[in-house]
Amino acid sequence: MVEGSAVVNPQRGMKVTKRARMSVLLALVMVVALSLGAPSVPAQGPVYSVWVVRNSVFKDVPAGAFMPDRAFVPGSTSPMNNQVFFQLPVNVGVIKGGKDVILYDTGWKQQDYLKMTNSVNWAPLPDLLSRLGIQAGDVTKIVIGHGHWDHAGQLSDFPNAVLYVQKAELEGIQWALTYPNPRIAAVNTSQGGCARTPACGYPPLTLQEIYGKVLGGKAVVVDGTMEIAPGVIIHPAHRAHTAGSQLLEVPTTIGKLVFGSDAYSSWEGIRDWMIANPQQTDTVQQFLAYEKCYKITGGYQNCVAAHEPLSYSDKYPLTKNFWTGPNDSRLAEVALAPGEKTRKP
Amino acid sequence: MVASQDASSAIGVGAPGRSGSQGLLRAKLLVAGLIVLALLGVFCASLLREATTTSRTAGATARRPSLTPPRPALTPAEEAYAQALWAIHGDVKSAAYKLTFSGLRYKLKQADGPEFGTGVRDASKSFGQVEARVRALAPPPSLRQVHAQYLDAVHLFQRSAAEMLKVTADGRDDHLLAAHPLSQEASETLLRVGNMIWPGEYLPN
C-alpha cells in the first residue's frame, strides 16, 4: 500500500509512509502502556494460597525517614512531598499449600514496645492465623526476610516451624558487633536510641529467638538460593536492606508473588523506583531486588511489601480484598489455590 | 490497524483526477485521526494506571494524626538515672550478644569447644563488671523497681553463662537448652526497662 502511494505521488506517498510508521509506533506505545499493569501469567505447577496479615502499625513515621525522595517540604503541593508522616503496617505473609504452612516474616512480639515505638493495632500472630483457620502448631516453615526485631519477633510462638535465615545475615550481625570502630559497632547510637548502625535493629531478644530455633534443631542456615517447597524459592537479596536479606517466590493462581520484607518496604517504591526504609541498605542492591520481582512476576503488581502505607486499600491491589481482625488488625486474601475456601467473613 | 486503513485511504488522495484541495483535506483528517488515537491511548493508559496506583494526595496530610497519650516526662532525677544506666546498657547488650553468638556458632559448628568457652567466659566477666556498675547507681524512688528489674536481668544472664559453661566440662549440649530460657527472660526484661526509660530505643526497622 505504501509502495502504491509512492507510485501515485512519491512526495505525498513518503509522508504517508512516515505517518504509517508513526501510527505503528503509536500503537506499539499504547500496547506497552496498557501492558504495564497487566497481571502476570498464572504459574505452572503447584500453586499456593496466600494471605497477608497486619501485625501492627508504626504511627507517624516521618516521610523522609521512610522514603528520602518523599521527604516533607513545607508548603509543597506535590504529592511527592506534601506528606509529613506515613502510617506503616507491619505485614506478614501466610502461605499454604501441600503439607506446608509457611510464614514470611513473623512481625514482632514484644508488647512492651507498644509505647516505645508509638505503635498501634498490635495483634499476636497466632490470633491472626486462627482467623485463617490455621493454628500456631500448623506452621511448618518460617522464612525471615531479615532478622530485624519487627520481622523476626515471634519465632518461639511457632514451635514446630523450621526457620530459614541467610548465612550472610548471621555473619553480618557478627561482623557489625565485632567491628573495631566503636561508632560502627555501636548498639546504642544516641541517648536512648539506636537506629542506623549495622547492629541496631537486632535486640538481644530477637537474636535469642533465632538462637532458640538453632538450639532446637529447627533452623536452616541458607547460603544463597533454596527451594523450600515445590516452586517456593528463597532468593538472596543481600544488602538490599540488611547483610542477609532474602526474598521468597511463591506460585499462585494470580501468578508468581515475590515477598520482599524490608527490601520491599514500599510497594510504591518498587513501582516508581524509589528507595525505601534505608537502614543497612545498599540502595543499588535494593533496586536489584526490585528488578528481581519485575523479572520473576512480570511487573510490580505482585511484589509483596512489608510496610506499604497503602496496604489494605484499593490502591495496593494485592491487598484490597481485606477484612478486619482482632485489635483492628487487617487480613487480606491475596490468592486461593484450587479447592481452597475463602477465609473472608 | 485503524491507522493503516487511514493510510490506505490517504493513498487515494493523490490519485489522478482528484483535486489537490481534497487530498490536502484528507491528509489533515488523517493527522487529526492519529492525534485522536494517540490521545485515546494515553487516556486508556492513564485510566489503567490510576486504577492500579495510588493517588498520593488522598492519603496526604500535613496534619499530624492524633497520637496515643504521651507518657509523663521523666523528672530530672529520673532522667539522670536513665542517662547513667544508658552508658552501661551498651555493654550489657554487647555481653548478651557475645553469649548468644558463642552458643550459636558452637551449635552451627562454626566454633569449637575452646572458642565457645572463651566467648562465654568473656561474656560472664563483662556481666560481672556491669553488675558492679549498675549497683553503684542510686535510682530515684520512682525507678527503684526498674533498677531492680535491670539487676535481675544481669543476674539471669550470669546464670545463663554459668550454665552454658558446663558444656566445656561434660560436652553435653542440654546445658545450652537449660541456659536459653534464662537469657531469653533477661533479654525480655531489658526491653521492659527500655520501654520505661528509653522510649525509642528501637525504631521501626
Side-chain angles (χ1 to χ4, degrees):
Chain A
M1 285 191 284
V2 173
E3 283 175 4
S5 71
V7 172
V8 175
N9 184 335
Q11 197 174 11
R12 189 176 298 275
M14 284 305 286
K15 286 180 184 172
V16 171
T17 302
K18 282 181 183 170
R19 284 177 189 141
R21 283 180 184 158
M22 197 168 75
S23 64
V24 169
L25 189 64
L26 275 170
L28 277 172
V29 168
M30 284 170 61
V31 167
V32 170
L34 288 169
S35 67
L36 273 177
S40 47
V41 180
Q44 304 294 313
V47 289
Y48 294 77
S49 298
V50 170
W51 298 268
V52 175
V53 300
R54 190 180 76 185
N55 179 222
S56 65
V57 176
F58 293 137
K59 286 192 69 170
D60 303 334
V61 176
F66 184 59
M67 297 178 82
D69 296 327
R70 296 189 63 182
F72 176 65
V73 177
S76 172
T77 55
S78 164
M80 279 287 288
N81 303 104
N82 66 355
Q83 231 169 310
V84 183
F85 300 109
F86 287 120
Q87 314 305 318
L88 302 182
V90 176
N91 291 333
V92 171
V94 184
I95 299 141
K96 182 173 179 286
K99 294 175 181 174
D100 279 319
V101 175
I102 304 168
L103 299 183
Y104 182 78
D105 280 353
T106 51
W108 55 286
K109 179 182 183 178
Q110 300 86 351
Q111 292 199 59
D112 293 331
Y113 272 138
L114 284 170
K115 297 173 198 167
M116 209 171 181
T117 56
N118 197 22
S119 302
V120 293
N121 304 134
W122 185 86
L125 199 45
D127 288 2
L128 291 170
L129 292 184
S130 72
R131 303 298 174 106
L132 302 174
I134 295 167
Q135 303 310 308
D138 299 338
V139 176
T140 55
K141 291 167 183 157
I142 294 172
V143 178
I144 49 171
H146 64 296
H148 277 163
W149 66 274
D150 50 341
H151 296 264
Q154 304 183 73
L155 299 176
S156 52
D157 285 345
F158 304 98
N160 300 325
V162 173
L163 171 71
Y164 291 79
V165 59
Q166 285 282 324
K167 184 179 176 214
E169 184 74 352
L170 299 177
E171 289 176 349
I173 301 167
Q174 291 177 84
W175 172 85
L177 289 169
T178 55
Y179 196 80
N181 185 332
R183 289 195 176 274
I184 292 173
V187 290
N188 285 357
T189 50
S190 59
Q191 181 57 47
C194 186
R196 306 282 192 199
T197 60
C200 255
Y202 309 91
L205 182 58
T206 308
L207 294 179
Q208 282 292 330
E209 294 251 325
I210 293 171
Y211 174 48
K213 282 291 184 190
V214 172
L215 268 181
K218 293 278 186 184
V220 175
V221 179
V222 182
D223 192 5
T225 305
M226 179 182 279
E227 186 172 28
I228 62 167
V232 180
I233 301 168
I234 288 173
H235 296 277
H238 296 174
R239 301 185 305 285
H241 182 68
T242 60
S245 293
Q246 56 184 357
L247 315 175
L248 188 67
E249 172 186 336
V250 180
T252 74
T253 52
I254 61 166
K256 288 182 177 178
L257 304 179
V258 178
F259 290 81
S261 194
D262 277 355
Y264 296 172
S265 283
S266 165
W267 175 73
E268 285 189 293
I270 301 169
R271 184 193 67 202
D272 299 337
W273 295 91
M274 290 185 290
I275 66 157
N277 199 8
Q279 298 293 338
Q280 290 84 52
T281 305
D282 174 336
T283 56
V284 175
Q285 293 302 322
Q286 189 168 57
F287 269 27
L288 291 172
Y290 292 176
E291 184 197 36
K292 191 85 173 175
C293 188
Y294 277 83
K295 282 182 173 173
I296 291 173
T297 70
Y300 57 83
Q301 295 282 14
N302 284 7
C303 311
V304 188
H307 296 301
E308 172 52 51
L310 299 174
S311 295
Y312 313 101
S313 78
D314 289 347
K315 292 166 191 165
Y316 182 14
L318 212 56
T319 61
K320 67 181 180 185
N321 186 24
F322 71 95
W323 67 100
T324 301
N327 196 24
D328 205 23
S329 55
R330 297 285 184 273
L331 303 94
E333 197 159 76
V334 178
L336 289 176
E340 192 80 66
K341 289 179 183 172
T342 180
R343 305 310 204 262
K344 190 176 178 182
Chain B
M1 183 63 84
V2 176
S4 298
Q5 286 166 353
D6 284 347
S8 68
S9 67
I11 292 166
V13 169
R18 297 290 179 95
S19 74
S21 62
Q22 274 182 322
L24 189 62
L25 182 65
R26 290 192 179 183
K28 283 179 179 173
L29 278 172
L30 170 68
V31 171
L34 282 173
I35 290 170
V36 168
L37 270 175
L39 285 172
L40 265 174
V42 170
F43 179 67
C44 288
S46 62
L47 264 185
L48 187 73
R49 188 171 173 81
E50 189 62 26
T52 56
T53 61
T54 174
S55 82
R56 292 190 182 102
T57 49
T61 171
R63 286 183 303 142
R64 187 183 177 92
S66 63
L67 293 172
T68 47
R71 72 180 60 229
L74 296 179
T75 64
E78 290 171 338
E79 187 62 43
Y81 174 80
Q83 285 192 23
L85 189 58
W86 179 256
I88 302 169
H89 187 50
D91 292 338
V92 173
K93 286 201 283 190
S94 293
Y97 291 131
K98 199 166 196 61
L99 201 60
T100 305
F101 275 106
S102 295
L104 193 71
R105 287 173 53 78
Y106 178 73
K107 278 301 288 183
L108 292 174
K109 303 193 188 310
Q110 294 169 351
D112 57 15
E115 186 185 330
F116 164 79
T118 301
V120 176
R121 277 189 208 93
D122 284 353
S124 184
K125 187 178 170 189
S126 295
F127 285 126
Q129 289 167 346
V130 294
E131 185 199 353
R133 291 165 65 196
V134 175
R135 281 193 186 284
L137 298 178
S142 57
L143 292 181
R144 275 183 192 148
Q145 192 182 344
V146 168
H147 181 76
Q149 266 185 299
Y150 202 90
L151 270 175
D152 283 348
V154 174
H155 292 153
L156 281 167
F157 277 129
Q158 287 174 310
R159 284 175 53 201
S160 181
E163 184 66 33
M164 288 171 77
L165 268 181
K166 292 177 185 172
V167 175
T168 58
D170 61 19
R172 286 170 46 202
D173 283 2
D174 51 358
H175 296 303
L176 299 179
L177 290 169
H180 181 248
L182 303 173
S183 292
Q184 182 104 352
E185 189 183 337
S187 302
E188 283 192 26
T189 304
L190 292 189
L191 289 173
R192 292 202 172 90
V193 169
N195 190 42
M196 296 294 294
I197 58 176
W198 304 307
E201 182 182 8
Y202 292 103
L203 300 174
N205 267 280

